[in-house]
Amino acid sequence: MNDAMPPRWILGGAPRPAAPLLYCFPHGGGSAAEYLRWARDVRNAETRVVQLPGRGSRVDEPVLTSMDALVGAFLDAAPPPGREPFVFFGHSFGSLLAFEITRALRAAGRPGPAHLVVSGYPAPHLPRTPSRLHQLGDRELMETVAGLHGGIPEELMACDELVTLAARALRADYEVLETYVHRPQEPLSVPVTVLGGTDDRVTAEQLDAWREVTDGHVTVRRFPGGHFYLRDRPAPVLRVLAGVLGAVAAGERNVPC
């Protein structure tokens, strides 16, 4: 991993050559634009946001519908390690993707993140209730996900063309999630910070279970709000990220709560 990823995969904020890199993996159906806004507020990092195929600036590309395909394509696009340290942040679907890419980097003998920050997603080894949301029609898919998690603007739902466009990326990500099979491996050694909303469907116990996938230090924080608590009140989350990045820059392994 470094700051020379192909432009189609990575969109970046202001260059900060002396700071750690912060890679952000968006939620299901999300694009890079939402997390690019963080670049101006997280001043002790150089922000890099992952743009997956089939959305945003890559809307004309085929979507990828399995975890193996996504991870493989990302690692194929990543040049040999150059700049360190870097931190991974993922929200919801992005948490699982960041976790699996971290494991794949380790398996390939390549440097991984100095810290993993995951948000709004149960620990990946926990049993999940089978679902097939990705098989729903466009509007039914969007309405169902909006009912489960919120976060889909009413103005988007009022436009059939936007519904069709947004459903394509969301369906792909749900197919990744719903066909995902956790493969037991040795625990990671990376420190992990786990974030969530107090009113989210993801429970405190499911967040706490991330402790079981790493031998590194784990901190669990919950904030007022639902699944998109970080969209409603970004400031506390950005403070946590700034603290993680400050500790990484200083070479610290543990991050204060």
Side-chain angles (χ1 to χ4, degrees):
M1 295 292 304
N2 69 18
D3 56 350
M5 286 283 287
R8 68 183 186 278
W9 277 97
I10 297 291
L11 300 179
R16 295 190 175 102
L21 294 169
L22 172 64
Y23 286 88
C24 297
F25 295 81
H27 57 274
S31 72
E34 181 168 355
Y35 298 92
L36 277 177
R37 301 188 190 103
W38 290 5
R40 64 176 179 265
D41 297 316
V42 183
R43 297 186 176 275
N44 60 341
E46 186 170 323
T47 303
R48 293 284 181 260
V49 185
V50 176
Q51 184 78 291
L52 298 180
R55 65 212 76 197
S57 58
R58 306 183 67 185
V59 68
D60 293 331
E61 297 182 35
V63 295
L64 299 175
T65 57
S66 76
M67 183 60 74
D68 287 345
L70 267 179
V71 172
F74 185 87
L75 263 64
D76 286 347
R83 177 175 166 189
E84 297 180 71
F86 57 90
V87 171
F88 281 173
F89 168 84
H91 177 61
S92 195
F93 165 78
S95 296
L96 183 61
L97 180 56
F99 168 76
E100 285 294 337
I101 289 175
T102 300
R103 297 211 301 178
L105 287 168
R106 179 181 67 176
R110 296 165 61 173
H115 202 107
L116 177 62
V117 184
V118 295
S119 168
Y121 195 80
H125 63 292
L126 296 178
R128 293 170 296 137
T129 302
S131 62
R132 285 290 181 266
L133 298 186
H134 71 275
Q135 296 178 348
L136 299 176
D138 291 350
R139 183 163 290 278
E140 187 178 5
L141 171 64
M142 298 291 288
E143 290 175 347
T144 301
V145 172
L148 289 171
H149 302 300
I152 299 178
E154 291 182 6
E155 54 268 27
L156 186 155
M157 295 299 296
C159 175
D160 289 341
E161 290 184 4
L162 290 179
V163 166
T164 298
L165 184 64
R168 177 173 178 257
L170 186 61
R171 176 177 292 104
D173 292 347
Y174 262 90
E175 186 167 354
V176 173
L177 290 173
E178 293 175 336
T179 60
Y180 172 77
V181 177
H182 177 74
R183 301 181 181 106
Q185 295 181 11
E186 290 296 315
L188 297 172
S189 58
V190 60
V192 178
T193 294
V194 187
L195 310 177
T198 55
D199 299 322
D200 194 5
R201 295 167 63 91
V202 181
T203 67
E205 292 75 18
Q206 290 172 320
L207 295 175
D208 199 64
W210 279 92
R211 299 180 187 277
E212 300 169 30
V213 301
T214 183
D215 290 332
H217 180 78
V218 175
T219 299
V220 180
R221 297 281 305 274
R222 298 176 80 208
F223 301 94
H227 190 64
F228 287 102
Y229 70 94
L230 71 177
R231 182 182 292 169
D232 299 332
R233 299 178 181 87
V237 178
L238 296 178
R239 283 196 292 269
V240 169
L241 284 175
V244 167
L245 291 156
V248 166
E252 300 172 11
R253 298 292 291 174
N254 297 340
V255 177
C257 296

